[in-house]
Amino acid sequence: MTAVVVAVVCAALAAATGWRPELTAWLLLVPAGAVLGLVDLAVQRLPHLLTLPAAGVAWVALGVAALLPGHAGSWPHAVAGSLAFSGMLFALFLISPAAMGFGDVLLALTAGAVLGWYGWTVLFLGAFFGFVLASLFGVLRRVGRRTAGAGSLIPLGPFLLAGALAGVLAAA
């Protein structure tokens, strides 16, 4: 099932982006995003061994894409978006480390680069969409359980990734 989802996401990104240079970055990041999302859903942890290299791949791949003709984004915006989104989540992590994992802060480096590539508006909308999805998931889970006891924390990673995907699909 995971392979089918990865294939569908890659096909959607290819259809939305076309043959622009940044498509290579998107296609490189999708499998890593799928693994990270599944791991976070399963154990509510985002391993630094995967989140940091994904951010590096995003920065390098988008840097190369920016050097090629026909790209539709900005590498400086990608880097700034990466740092801004991660910085925002780091502030939330400092405020409440029990509610925001550091893996989410590191994942925001990648999601912020992907969204920032297309500008601040896309970064804001993609981040907002991810948090809205996470909120809806939390509300639905709470209603289903009728309680908010231990274990009520939700994995944020899959929703950050979904917001990034939605932002890219909308902007491309």
Side-chain angles (χ1 to χ4, degrees):
M1 183 64 172
T2 303
V4 171
V5 171
V6 167
V8 168
V9 169
C10 286
L13 287 167
T17 305
W19 294 108
R20 291 196 306 264
E22 61 265 26
L23 177 61
T24 302
W26 307 156
L27 297 181
L28 286 171
L29 292 170
V30 169
V35 170
L36 286 166
L38 288 172
V39 168
D40 201 14
L41 283 172
V43 298
Q44 290 191 346
R45 298 268 185 246
L46 286 165
H48 303 341
L49 189 61
L50 297 176
T51 53
L52 285 174
V57 166
W59 282 31
V60 170
L62 290 173
V64 171
L67 297 174
L68 300 172
H71 66 277
S74 164
W75 190 75
H77 284 141
V79 172
S82 178
L83 296 174
F85 194 23
S86 186
M88 182 191 79
L89 291 190
F90 183 66
L92 294 174
F93 170 76
L94 291 176
I95 292 168
S96 180
M100 172 71 62
F102 196 70
D104 297 320
V105 174
L106 296 178
L107 182 60
L109 287 169
T110 304
V114 166
L115 293 166
W117 174 257
Y118 291 116
W120 292 106
T121 302
V122 174
L123 174 65
F124 175 78
L125 292 175
F128 181 75
F129 185 68
F131 279 106
V132 167
L133 285 177
S135 299
L136 290 173
F137 176 80
V139 167
L140 292 174
R141 194 167 82 172
R142 180 174 284 181
V143 167
R145 287 187 184 168
R146 305 255 188 242
T147 181
S152 62
L153 296 177
I154 62 168
L156 185 58
F159 303 105
L160 292 177
L161 294 167
L165 174 63
V168 169
L169 291 175

